[in-house]
């Protein structure tokens, strides 16, 4: 693998962890959070505690470490709770 610098384009990017407002969460529940990637002119536009609205594309990126934990065999969610004979 060699990076072709003359043909490459680079941009600023930042990963933000955003969380629901605590006022919108029912009592006794934890606020949900998600990671958001911003690029170019949106980098460093907000600070912790700001209220923001995001518009863009949702891209699901699986957590690789959660998919391959040592000692656990992967299972299909279709077959969860069934015996080996029922799954066939």
């Amino acid at each position: 693998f060699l990076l072709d610098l003359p043909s490459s384009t680079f941009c600023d990017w930042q990963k933000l962890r955003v969380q629901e407002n605590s006022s919108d969460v029912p009592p006794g529940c934890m606020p949900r959070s998600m990671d958001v990637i911003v690029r170019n002119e949106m980098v460093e536009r907000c600070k912790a505690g700001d209220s923001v609205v995001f518009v863009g594309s949702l891209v699901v990126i699986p957590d690789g470490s959660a998919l391959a934990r040592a000692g656990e065999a992967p299972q299909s969610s279709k077959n969860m709770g069934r015996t080996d004979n029922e799954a066939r």
Side-chain angles (χ1 to χ4, degrees):
F1 174 79
L2 292 174
L3 180 60
D4 186 10
L5 288 174
S7 300
S8 299
T9 304
F10 301 94
C11 70
D12 288 338
W13 67 276
Q14 181 178 19
K15 181 167 100 173
L16 307 173
R17 167 119 342 143
V18 295
Q19 179 176 313
E20 289 180 295
N21 287 330
S22 57
S23 61
D24 297 338
V25 179
C29 294
M30 293 292 293
R32 296 174 290 186
S33 65
M34 70 178 355
D35 291 334
V36 176
I37 304 294
V38 295
R39 298 184 303 181
N40 298 323
E41 68 274 358
M42 300 312 294
V43 172
E44 297 182 358
R45 294 276 306 259
C46 64
K47 60 184 180 306
D50 285 353
S51 182
V52 296
V53 174
F54 292 97
V55 177
S57 300
L58 177 64
V59 178
V60 179
I61 302 172
D63 181 9
S65 62
L67 296 174
R69 291 195 174 113
E72 293 181 11
Q75 294 181 354
S76 168
S77 61
K78 244 181 1 182
N79 296 334
M80 296 291 285
R82 296 183 185 173
T83 63
D84 287 338
N85 292 335
E86 291 174 339
R88 290 183 189 151

